[in-house]
Amino acid sequence: MAGTQQLARVPAGDLAACRQSASASPDCDPHWDPLAYDMLDLDWAPELLVRVGEVAGLDELHLDALRLTSAGGTALDLGFLDTHPHTIAPFGPAPAALSASQVARVSELLGQIDMPALLAALPTDDREAGSLIGRGADQITDGPREYLLKHFNALRDFYLDAAKRHLLVVLWWD
Protein backbone atom coordinates (compact mmCIF):
# COMPACT_ATOMS: atom_id res chain seq x y z
CA MET A 1 0.00 0.00 0.00
CA ALA A 2 1.28 3.46 -0.88
CA GLY A 3 2.36 5.72 1.95
CA THR A 4 2.99 9.31 1.04
CA GLN A 5 2.58 11.36 -2.10
CA GLN A 6 5.82 12.85 -3.40
CA LEU A 7 6.09 15.56 -6.06
CA ALA A 8 9.06 17.03 -7.88
CA ARG A 9 9.19 20.06 -10.17
CA VAL A 10 11.60 19.36 -13.02
CA PRO A 11 12.59 20.99 -16.29
CA ALA A 12 11.83 18.83 -19.32
CA GLY A 13 15.55 18.81 -20.14
CA ASP A 14 16.43 17.30 -16.77
CA LEU A 15 13.88 14.54 -17.28
CA ALA A 16 15.34 13.86 -20.74
CA ALA A 17 18.84 13.72 -19.23
CA CYS A 18 17.64 11.20 -16.64
CA ARG A 19 16.08 9.11 -19.39
CA GLN A 20 19.34 9.19 -21.34
CA SER A 21 21.40 8.32 -18.24
CA ALA A 22 19.19 5.32 -17.52
CA SER A 23 19.53 4.17 -21.10
CA ALA A 24 23.33 4.54 -21.13
CA SER A 25 23.99 3.14 -17.65
CA PRO A 26 24.68 -0.61 -17.28
CA ASP A 27 22.47 -0.70 -14.18
CA CYS A 28 19.80 1.68 -15.58
CA ASP A 29 20.65 4.44 -13.08
CA PRO A 30 18.79 7.60 -14.19
CA HIS A 31 20.69 9.80 -11.71
CA TRP A 32 17.32 11.09 -10.49
CA ASP A 33 18.13 13.76 -7.92
CA PRO A 34 15.68 16.69 -7.90
CA LEU A 35 16.62 19.67 -5.77
CA ALA A 36 15.11 19.60 -2.28
CA TYR A 37 13.55 23.01 -2.99
CA ASP A 38 11.64 21.46 -5.89
CA MET A 39 10.20 18.56 -3.92
CA LEU A 40 7.03 18.32 -1.89
CA ASP A 41 5.87 15.58 0.46
CA LEU A 42 2.08 15.71 0.63
CA ASP A 43 1.87 12.88 3.13
CA TRP A 44 -1.47 11.15 2.60
CA ALA A 45 -3.45 14.37 2.07
CA PRO A 46 -4.26 14.12 -1.69
CA GLU A 47 -7.06 11.59 -1.36
CA LEU A 48 -8.49 13.50 1.61
CA LEU A 49 -8.43 16.80 -0.31
CA VAL A 50 -10.40 15.23 -3.15
CA ARG A 51 -12.84 13.75 -0.66
CA VAL A 52 -13.40 17.17 0.98
CA GLY A 53 -14.17 18.57 -2.47
CA GLU A 54 -16.66 15.77 -3.10
CA VAL A 55 -18.38 16.15 0.27
CA ALA A 56 -18.53 19.96 0.01
CA GLY A 57 -19.91 19.92 -3.54
CA LEU A 58 -16.90 21.18 -5.48
CA ASP A 59 -17.61 21.14 -9.22
CA GLU A 60 -16.11 18.41 -11.43
CA LEU A 61 -13.66 20.73 -13.19
CA HIS A 62 -11.95 21.63 -9.92
CA LEU A 63 -12.27 18.09 -8.54
CA ASP A 64 -10.51 16.81 -11.64
CA ALA A 65 -7.70 19.30 -11.06
CA LEU A 66 -7.29 17.98 -7.51
CA ARG A 67 -7.28 14.41 -8.83
CA LEU A 68 -4.61 15.25 -11.42
CA THR A 69 -2.30 16.55 -8.69
CA SER A 70 -1.96 13.02 -7.32
CA ALA A 71 -2.60 10.82 -10.36
CA GLY A 72 -0.73 12.64 -13.11
CA GLY A 73 -2.15 13.19 -16.51
CA THR A 74 0.35 12.88 -19.29
CA ALA A 75 1.73 10.01 -21.29
CA LEU A 76 5.37 10.88 -20.64
CA ASP A 77 7.58 7.81 -20.59
CA LEU A 78 8.73 7.54 -16.99
CA GLY A 79 9.59 3.84 -17.06
CA PHE A 80 13.22 4.68 -16.41
CA LEU A 81 12.18 5.95 -12.95
CA ASP A 82 10.45 2.64 -12.23
CA THR A 83 13.34 0.28 -12.94
CA HIS A 84 14.96 -1.84 -10.24
CA PRO A 85 17.20 -1.11 -8.38
CA HIS A 86 16.63 2.64 -8.85
CA THR A 87 12.84 2.80 -8.74
CA ILE A 88 11.54 5.92 -7.02
CA ALA A 89 8.14 4.38 -6.21
CA PRO A 90 8.87 1.01 -4.64
CA PHE A 91 5.66 0.96 -2.58
CA GLY A 92 3.12 2.45 -4.95
CA PRO A 93 2.01 2.79 -8.53
CA ALA A 94 4.48 3.75 -11.24
CA PRO A 95 5.57 7.40 -11.30
CA ALA A 96 3.37 9.75 -13.32
CA ALA A 97 3.73 13.32 -14.53
CA LEU A 98 1.99 16.48 -15.61
CA SER A 99 3.31 18.37 -18.62
CA ALA A 100 4.13 22.07 -18.30
CA SER A 101 0.81 22.99 -19.94
CA GLN A 102 -1.09 20.68 -17.58
CA VAL A 103 0.79 22.17 -14.63
CA ALA A 104 -0.25 25.66 -15.74
CA ARG A 105 -3.92 24.64 -16.03
CA VAL A 106 -3.94 22.80 -12.70
CA SER A 107 -2.25 25.75 -11.03
CA GLU A 108 -4.92 28.08 -12.36
CA LEU A 109 -7.72 25.81 -11.14
CA LEU A 110 -6.15 25.24 -7.71
CA GLY A 111 -5.94 29.02 -7.34
CA GLN A 112 -9.71 29.20 -7.81
CA ILE A 113 -10.52 26.71 -5.05
CA ASP A 114 -11.61 28.27 -1.77
CA MET A 115 -10.43 25.52 0.56
CA PRO A 116 -11.40 27.39 3.76
CA ALA A 117 -14.98 27.57 2.42
CA LEU A 118 -14.96 23.86 1.55
CA LEU A 119 -13.67 22.99 5.02
CA ALA A 120 -16.27 25.30 6.58
CA ALA A 121 -18.99 23.26 4.84
CA LEU A 122 -18.01 20.26 6.95
CA PRO A 123 -19.58 19.58 10.36
CA THR A 124 -18.01 21.75 13.08
CA ASP A 125 -17.07 18.76 15.23
CA ASP A 126 -13.66 17.49 14.06
CA ARG A 127 -14.50 13.82 14.67
CA GLU A 128 -17.75 14.13 12.77
CA ALA A 129 -16.01 16.00 9.94
CA GLY A 130 -13.28 13.36 9.87
CA SER A 131 -15.82 10.56 9.76
CA LEU A 132 -17.62 12.25 6.87
CA ILE A 133 -14.36 12.63 4.94
CA GLY A 134 -13.39 9.05 5.77
CA ARG A 135 -10.10 7.39 4.88
CA GLY A 136 -8.73 7.92 8.40
CA ALA A 137 -9.36 11.66 8.57
CA ASP A 138 -11.02 11.23 11.97
CA GLN A 139 -7.66 10.04 13.33
CA ILE A 140 -5.74 13.23 12.49
CA THR A 141 -4.36 14.49 15.78
CA ASP A 142 -5.35 18.16 15.56
CA GLY A 143 -8.38 17.51 13.39
CA PRO A 144 -8.67 17.42 9.61
CA ARG A 145 -9.15 21.12 8.90
CA GLU A 146 -5.69 22.39 9.86
CA TYR A 147 -3.96 19.40 8.28
CA LEU A 148 -5.84 19.67 5.00
CA LEU A 149 -5.59 23.45 4.72
CA LYS A 150 -1.83 23.29 5.31
CA HIS A 151 -1.39 20.60 2.64
CA PHE A 152 -3.71 22.28 0.16
CA ASN A 153 -1.85 25.58 0.50
CA ALA A 154 1.48 23.79 0.00
CA LEU A 155 0.10 22.00 -3.06
CA ARG A 156 -1.33 25.19 -4.56
CA ASP A 157 1.90 27.13 -3.98
CA PHE A 158 4.01 24.27 -5.36
CA TYR A 159 2.01 24.20 -8.60
CA LEU A 160 1.97 27.99 -8.87
CA ASP A 161 5.76 28.07 -8.73
CA ALA A 162 6.04 25.20 -11.22
CA ALA A 163 3.69 27.01 -13.61
CA LYS A 164 5.63 30.27 -13.35
CA ARG A 165 8.85 28.41 -14.13
CA HIS A 166 7.28 26.27 -16.93
CA LEU A 167 8.25 23.04 -15.18
CA LEU A 168 6.84 19.52 -15.33
CA VAL A 169 5.65 17.85 -12.15
CA VAL A 170 6.60 14.22 -11.53
CA LEU A 171 4.64 12.44 -8.84
CA TRP A 172 4.85 9.11 -7.10
CA TRP A 173 3.82 7.34 -3.92
CA ASP A 174 6.53 6.23 -1.57
Side-chain angles (χ1 to χ4, degrees), residues 51-143:
R51 183 66 183 133
V52 166
E54 292 169 347
V55 168
L58 187 63
D59 63 273
E60 282 301 313
L61 180 67
H62 291 89
L63 272 173
D64 286 343
L66 278 174
R67 289 180 185 116
L68 279 174
T69 66
S70 64
T74 189
L76 285 177
D77 172 21
L78 298 177
F80 63 92
L81 293 176
D82 197 29
T83 303
H84 181 75
H86 304 287
T87 185
I88 66 170
F91 306 113
L98 293 171
S99 68
S101 62
Q102 289 171 316
V103 166
R105 181 66 177 141
V106 165
S107 174
E108 177 186 348
L109 292 169
L110 290 177
Q112 297 169 2
I113 296 174
D114 185 351
M115 187 55 68
L118 295 178
L119 294 169
L122 298 174
T124 55
D125 178 73
D126 280 342
R127 284 227 177 248
E128 191 178 336
S131 291
L132 185 61
I133 295 167
R135 297 168 174 83
D138 58 335
Q139 301 300 311
I140 297 172
T141 303
D142 294 323

Side-chain angles (χ1 to χ4, degrees), residues 30-56:
H31 298 285
W32 171 255
D33 192 21
L35 300 172
Y37 170 81
D38 283 321
M39 301 211 29
L40 177 64
D41 181 344
L42 275 180
D43 199 30
W44 45 282
E47 191 173 297
L48 300 178
L49 291 169
V50 170
R51 183 66 183 133
V52 166
E54 292 169 347
V55 168

